């Protein structure tokens, strides 16, 4: 069975850092691009970042560009989101998502990990 | 950036009724990249419709999607109690964008 499991969330102070992980299982991880999407509780879904299959190409939402870094380790079937210089408005549930092999929609989602930025 | 506007923001209906949810794009969207998701409280989004009109695996046939260009519609023909949730449309482009969601609540 295919799964994505996020971890690494928690409470962090403004200006601090946090690294999220998303462990994949049940499919050939190295064949898929991977994304991070976040959601403030009670609000909508917001795309954060994506990485291609070998990690050579990444993209970010303007709101996190220069602060967050996405990376992956295909040997460990894991994608990461390094969050630096975090702000209060980064508080959200962070989901990793796998697009279809055609990269047309998100067909697999993790359950999410909560990140709270507060002093 | 393609802005997606969903309407209504909240839809109040009774089980058994028909629901029609709209997603309007600020510029033309290739249908293959238009997707609908369902999200229930405390859960991750669930893929419903991809390519504007294709039901995902395991999705009941009371759910249907239609539309092209800038106007897309999700229709639930006869609401079941488990259908009351928030629904998002999304376009998968260079930077994927979601609509703000339609909350479908029990009247």
């Amino acid at each position: 069975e295919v799964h994505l499991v996020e971890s690494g969330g928690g409470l962090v102070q403004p200006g601090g850092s946090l690294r999220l992980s998303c462990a994949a299982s049940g499919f050939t991880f190295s064949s898929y691009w991977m994304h991070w999407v976040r959601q403030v509780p009670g609000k909508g879904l917001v795309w954060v970042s994506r990485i291609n299959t070998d990690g050579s190409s990444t993209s970010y939402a303007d709101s996190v560009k220069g602060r967050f870094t996405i990376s992956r380790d295909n040997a460990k079937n894991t994608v990461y989101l390094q969050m630096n210089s975090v702000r209060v408005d980064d508080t959200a549930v962070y989901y990793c998502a796998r697009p279809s092999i055609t990269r047309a929609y998100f067909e697999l989602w993790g359950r999410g990990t909560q990140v709270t930025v507060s002093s | 950036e393609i802005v997606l506007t969903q309407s209504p923001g909240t839809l109040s209906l009774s089980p058994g009724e028909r629901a029609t949810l709209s997603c309007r794009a600020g510029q033309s969207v290739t249908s293959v990249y238009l997707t609908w998701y369902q999200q229930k409280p405390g859960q991750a989004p669930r893929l419903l419709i991809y390519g504007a009109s294709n039901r995902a695996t395991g999705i009941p046939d009371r759910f249907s999607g239609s539309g092209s260009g800038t106007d897309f519609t999700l229709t639930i023909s006869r609401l079941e109690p488990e259908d009351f949730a928030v629904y998002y449309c999304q376009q998968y482009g260079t930077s994927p964008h979601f609509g703000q969601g339609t909350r479908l609540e029990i009247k």
Side-chain angles (χ1 to χ4, degrees), chain A residues 33 35 37 39 42-47 50 59-60 62 95 99-100 102-112, chain B residues 1 32-35 37 39 42-47 50-51 88 90-92 94-100 103:
Chain A
W33 290 31
H35 296 248
V37 175
Q39 184 175 37
K43 303 296 184 182
L45 299 162
V46 177
W47 175 79
R50 66 94 177 143
S59 183
Y60 300 91
D62 287 343
Y95 296 101
S100 61
T102 57
R103 299 198 301 275
Y105 52 89
F106 294 128
E107 63 180 355
L108 181 64
W109 296 73
R111 299 183 69 175
Chain B
E1 175 183 329
V32 70
Y33 295 121
L34 195 289
T35 307
Y37 302 90
Q39 189 178 34
Q43 296 184 17
R46 173 194 184 193
L47 176 66
Y50 64 93
Y88 295 95
Q90 181 227 352
Q91 68 84 19
Y92 190 107
T94 303
S95 58
H97 285 279
F98 296 86
Q100 81 279 20
R103 180 177 304 277

Side-chain angles (χ1 to χ4, degrees), chain A residues 27-42:
Chain A
F27 63 95
T28 306
F29 178 73
S30 59
S31 296
Y32 290 85
W33 290 31
M34 293 297 296
H35 296 248
W36 288 95
V37 175
R38 70 184 182 184
Q39 184 175 37
V40 175

Side-chain angles (χ1 to χ4, degrees), chain A residues 29-30 32-34 51-53 55 71-74 78-80:
Chain A
F29 178 73
S30 59
Y32 290 85
W33 290 31
M34 293 297 296
I51 188 167
N52 69 345
T53 53
S71 62
R72 65 190 297 159
D73 185 335
N74 286 341
T78 301
V79 60
Y80 304 98

Side-chain angles (χ1 to χ4, degrees), chain A:
Chain A
E1 194 173 351
V2 294
H3 281 299
L4 296 173
V5 179
E6 302 93 338
S7 61
L11 176 64
V12 58
Q13 293 188 336
S17 297
L18 206 60
R19 188 176 83 155
L20 306 183
S21 300
C22 170
S25 60
F27 63 95
T28 306
F29 178 73
S30 59
S31 296
Y32 290 85
W33 290 31
M34 293 297 296
H35 296 248
W36 288 95
V37 175
R38 70 184 182 184
Q39 184 175 37
V40 175
K43 303 296 184 182
L45 299 162
V46 177
W47 175 79
V48 173
S49 183
R50 66 94 177 143
I51 188 167
N52 69 345
T53 53
D54 65 3
S56 62
S57 175
T58 59
S59 183
Y60 300 91
D62 287 343
S63 58
V64 306
K65 201 172 294 183
R67 302 187 299 119
F68 290 10
T69 302
I70 190 171
S71 62
R72 65 190 297 159
D73 185 335
N74 286 341
K76 295 183 177 179
N77 290 343
T78 301
V79 60
Y80 304 98
L81 187 68
Q82 178 67 43
M83 306 170 61
N84 296 334
S85 303
V86 296
R87 309 187 302 220
V88 171
D89 61 0
D90 292 322
T91 295
V93 175
Y94 285 74
Y95 296 101
C96 65
R98 189 198 80 180
S100 61
I101 200 70
T102 57
R103 299 198 301 275
Y105 52 89
F106 294 128
E107 63 180 355
L108 181 64
W109 296 73
R111 299 183 69 175
T113 187
Q114 173 72 48
V115 172
T116 301
V117 183
S118 174
S119 54

